Amino acid sequence: MMTDDGETTAEVFFVQHDVRYRWIVDGYEWEILLYPNVLDSRGLSTFVALRLIFLSEPRAGAVRTTLRSCLVDQEGVHKPRHENYQTITFRKPQDSSERIKLEGFGYIKDGSFSVQCTLDVLRELAEETDPLKKLYLPSSDLHLQLAQLLHRETRADVRFLVSGESFAAHKAILAARSPVFMAEFFGDMKDKDMESAVFKALVQFIYTDTVPEFRQQEWDGEAIYTDSAPKLEQQEEADTKAGTVMTQHLLAAADRYGLDRLKLICAFKLSGGINVDTAATTLTLAEQHNCPELKARCVQFIIKTSATLDAVLATEGYKHLEASCPLVVIDLLRSARGSKT
């Protein structure tokens, strides 16, 4: 199965010969060569290996890439294996990477397994014959290296217990990114009163400056016309609701730990999904965590029409707003009255 962003998942059965998969990324043709029957020192097939092969002519002198690969549990019980990161430069057709070995214990079941590969084309490198010509730096992959450091827990020196789940991290990185973490490390506050998924996303942002949970899901347009369309719509609605709740909690966490950029990202995401069910809750959040633009968006939505106002006043979120932010309720009703004059 292939996607437009260069990610491919392949399921194969154990065979004696190799298996090849081809796909196109950034206009270039690539091939993944799978070695599905790799033996360990005991003669057991507990490893899967792969190799990336470049099949096209580079438009410039060379093509620099990053290949991320991992094994995925076909039943969804176990988390994906930690990704293997490889930065590879290709200069001519049939250039290939070194053989990449992935440990398959627990992910090879009934003679089959699933491998997920993501290929990023970073930059085309021009061949320079004159050393005095301008040099071109490749794109930064610092976020990939730090993510790998976090996932592998290499030399981690602090551990947090969040909702019963343990997280290892590095004091220096956390403290450099968050003034609150800097202050906390002078005490002994390691237990966090937040959901583990929220804390995991928070730490992921600290290390990589990205929030993978915010990647928008893409739906197959043809599925709208099939019998499974209602189920897909229900699932999409449930995912949207869960994503909104996650973003609300993450905004509060970002404010708590002084991560202003993450806070703005969350506020922007919430402002694009305001509806009757979320307006009052998001308004409460915006007031409590000093997000004036998000607050203005919520008020604008609530007082848009009398019907919208009445619907929002009937929600549980409004009851919470009324109890926790009474002054905001007064301003809201004044704004609604003013919009009718």
Side-chain angles (χ1 to χ4, degrees), residues 202-221:
L202 184 79
V203 174
Q204 183 79 14
F205 180 85
I206 288 176
Y207 276 75
T208 67
D209 219 30
T210 61
V211 186
E213 286 77 2
F214 287 176
R215 292 175 182 172
Q216 185 176 359
Q217 291 183 335
E218 295 182 359
W219 294 86
D220 185 355

Side-chain angles (χ1 to χ4, degrees), residues 104-179:
F105 182 76
Y107 291 79
I108 301 175
K109 298 180 181 179
D110 298 327
S112 67
F113 57 88
S114 290
V115 180
Q116 179 174 288
C117 297
T118 304
L119 177 64
D120 297 317
V121 178
L122 303 179
R123 179 180 292 275
E124 295 184 32
L125 306 176
E127 292 286 359
E128 294 289 351
T129 57
D130 186 350
L132 298 180
K133 288 185 178 181
K134 183 177 179 180
L135 298 176
Y136 293 90
L137 294 177
S139 300
S140 173
D141 57 358
L142 176 62
H143 65 291
L144 298 177
Q145 295 171 350
L146 290 178
Q148 189 174 14
L149 185 70
L150 174 63
H151 292 155
R152 291 184 175 179
E153 302 182 2
T154 305
R155 294 190 177 276
D157 55 1
V158 64
R159 187 169 291 274
F160 301 92
L161 184 64
V162 186
S163 299
E165 188 172 352
S166 178
F167 295 91
H170 306 79
K171 288 184 178 180
I173 295 177
L174 297 179
R177 296 275 283 167
S178 166

Side-chain angles (χ1 to χ4, degrees), residues 14 38 45-49 70-72 78 81 101-109 112-115:
F14 275 116
V38 180
S45 298
T46 59
F47 290 91
V48 175
C70 66
L71 287 173
V72 179
H78 301 292
R81 277 287 188 196
K101 188 167 65 173
L102 305 174
E103 183 180 351
F105 182 76
Y107 291 79
I108 301 175
K109 298 180 181 179
S112 67
F113 57 88
S114 290
V115 180

Side-chain angles (χ1 to χ4, degrees), residues 237 240-242 244-245 248 269-283 294 297-304 308-309 311-313 315 317-318:
E237 182 179 353
T240 301
K241 184 177 181 180
T244 298
V245 173
Q248 291 171 342
K269 184 174 178 63
L270 288 173
S271 68
I274 299 172
N275 55 43
V276 169
D277 295 326
T278 64
T281 302
T282 302
L283 178 56
L294 181 59
R297 287 286 186 91
C298 291
V299 172
Q300 184 181 29
F301 173 85
I302 294 172
I303 67 174
K304 181 169 54 176
T308 301
L309 176 62
V312 172
L313 295 182
T315 63
Y318 178 76

Side-chain angles (χ1 to χ4, degrees), residues 233-254:
E233 292 174 0
Q234 292 173 6
Q235 182 63 46
E236 186 174 11
E237 182 179 353
D239 290 343
T240 301
K241 184 177 181 180
T244 298
V245 173
M246 173 69 175
T247 306
Q248 291 171 342
H249 287 302
L250 193 55
L251 186 149

